[in-house]
Amino acid sequence: MDFVFVGGNLALDFAGTLKWRRTRAEELLRTPGDLARWSVEAGVLTGEPPLDGEDLRTLLGLREAVYRLVAAALDGRPWPGEDLGVLNRAASAAPPRLTLGPGGLARDGGAAEIGAEVARSAATLLARMHAGVSSVRVRECARTECTRLFVDRSRGGTRHWCGMEECGNRVKAASYRSRKKG
């Protein structure tokens, strides 16, 4: 399984592991092993931790809380209190343990450490959005079916798609075909 990291923020990339939320939802984290692989590919940990079904359920709950909190912020709605509690509890855990050795920097931990890293990333992003920091432009992909969230760091603030590979190219190709028909 290949994960994509187009969100520009760890928490947004984690939220993006459930694709197509409004139509045909596609779960990328189906097993504890998928979550362990994601944690390494995302750079949260350097080795796959042993995770179980409860770890997966807990972290998927955090993922959904992050998504709802960011969606509320984008819509100008108050943050849901229950989701804020989930985020704050996860953020209060210890982050991954860092060890520097001859092989470089190791980042070790388990479910709590993964959750802490994701929650802290989300909390920092949400706080910056709430404060109106102009350099933080969070968007949802403009492709109708896609529900990925991303930080728009483009020079003019005009990024429309989560990524060109999956969404941008498809939208542009559909637009091209439509113009050719007309």
Side-chain angles (χ1 to χ4, degrees), residues 58-179:
T58 299
L59 288 171
L60 292 183
L62 172 62
R63 177 190 70 189
E64 294 311 299
V66 166
Y67 184 84
R68 288 188 297 264
L69 287 163
V70 173
L74 289 174
D75 292 343
R77 293 180 284 116
W79 293 323
E82 186 176 322
D83 292 331
L84 209 49
V86 168
L87 181 80
N88 286 329
R89 280 189 298 280
S92 70
R97 293 174 299 283
L98 302 180
T99 308
L100 182 61
L105 185 65
R107 298 174 60 83
D108 298 308
E113 290 80 6
I114 295 167
E117 199 81 349
V118 168
R120 289 172 183 195
S121 175
T124 301
L125 179 68
L126 287 161
R128 294 185 73 206
M129 290 173 71
H130 183 70
V133 175
S134 62
S135 63
V136 179
R137 295 182 301 250
V138 177
R139 311 235 192 279
E140 183 178 72
C141 184
R143 184 175 174 202
T144 307
E145 301 86 5
C146 187
T147 55
R148 278 202 178 112
L149 302 167
F150 62 90
V151 177
D152 179 0
R153 290 194 176 100
S154 64
R155 177 177 281 169
T158 58
R159 182 173 159 194
H160 297 285
W161 304 289
C162 60
M164 282 304 292
E165 251 182 64
E166 191 165 5
C167 290
N169 283 339
R170 289 179 189 220
V171 170
K172 287 183 174 192
S175 175
Y176 175 79
R177 285 191 301 273
S178 176
R179 285 193 312 273

Side-chain angles (χ1 to χ4, degrees), residues 34-50:
D34 293 338
L35 177 58
R37 279 189 299 286
W38 180 88
S39 73
V40 172
E41 288 185 32
V44 175
L45 303 175
T46 50
E48 289 186 19

Side-chain angles (χ1 to χ4, degrees), residues 45-56:
L45 303 175
T46 50
E48 289 186 19
L51 301 173
D52 61 25
E54 184 58 32
D55 296 330
L56 180 62

